[in-house]
Amino acid sequence: KTIGDAVMAVFRDPAAALRAMLSAQAKLANPSQGERPLRLKAALHHGPCIGVSLNDKFDYFGSTVNVASRLEKFATGEDIIISEPVFTDPEVARFLQDSANQLTVTSFQSELRGYGEECFTLWRVKPSP
């Protein structure tokens, strides 16, 4: 799904989404010779949503989609912002804890537009220097 200059992708598995985003960021940051590097701002959220097919196009709706769309603003392009449902997924937890992946994970809290005073715990995941 495109939203302006953003793309929202759906993955069945949060760990697969995290691995895909880390790979995409690395490839875009280190392009072939002569091409400009790009920063991919990415955020991941996990949960139920409603899928609708309309006019031969499939689209997703619901609070999971709304939260996901609001997380990207915290990303710098050198990290991936993940929500609590992603962070607590067992496969994601194993991936983040595996020292072979050389990742730095830090938590922070923030309110999200449209969710009143509710404070969300989020994590910033980035390759270790």
Side-chain angles (χ1 to χ4, degrees), residues 18-128:
L18 180 58
R19 288 190 299 273
M21 290 303 97
L22 286 166
S23 175
Q25 282 182 330
K27 286 180 182 177
L28 290 171
N30 300 296
S32 301
Q33 189 174 6
E35 295 180 11
R36 275 184 45 189
L38 295 173
R39 285 188 172 177
L40 175 62
K41 293 174 67 175
L44 303 174
H45 184 53
H46 177 66
C49 59
I50 300 167
V52 176
S53 180
L54 184 63
N55 296 328
D56 295 324
K57 294 183 181 179
F58 200 77
D59 205 352
Y60 294 92
F61 299 90
S63 62
T64 297
V65 175
N66 292 336
V67 170
S69 71
R70 286 165 173 77
L71 297 181
E72 176 269 332
K73 75 175 186 174
F74 299 108
T76 67
E78 296 177 340
D79 57 11
I80 299 170
I81 304 302
I82 63 173
S83 66
E84 190 161 357
V86 174
F87 183 77
T88 58
D89 176 82
E91 191 177 342
V92 169
R94 283 190 296 278
F95 182 80
L96 294 176
Q97 292 169 359
D98 186 345
S99 61
N101 294 321
Q102 300 180 349
L103 299 171
T104 300
V105 182
T106 55
S107 66
F108 64 99
Q109 294 194 342
S110 184
E111 294 178 3
L112 298 180
R113 182 177 46 86
Y115 287 85
E117 307 263 331
E118 184 178 356
C119 200
F120 288 76
T121 300
L122 305 170
W123 285 264
R124 185 176 309 278
V125 177
K126 61 186 193 176
S128 297

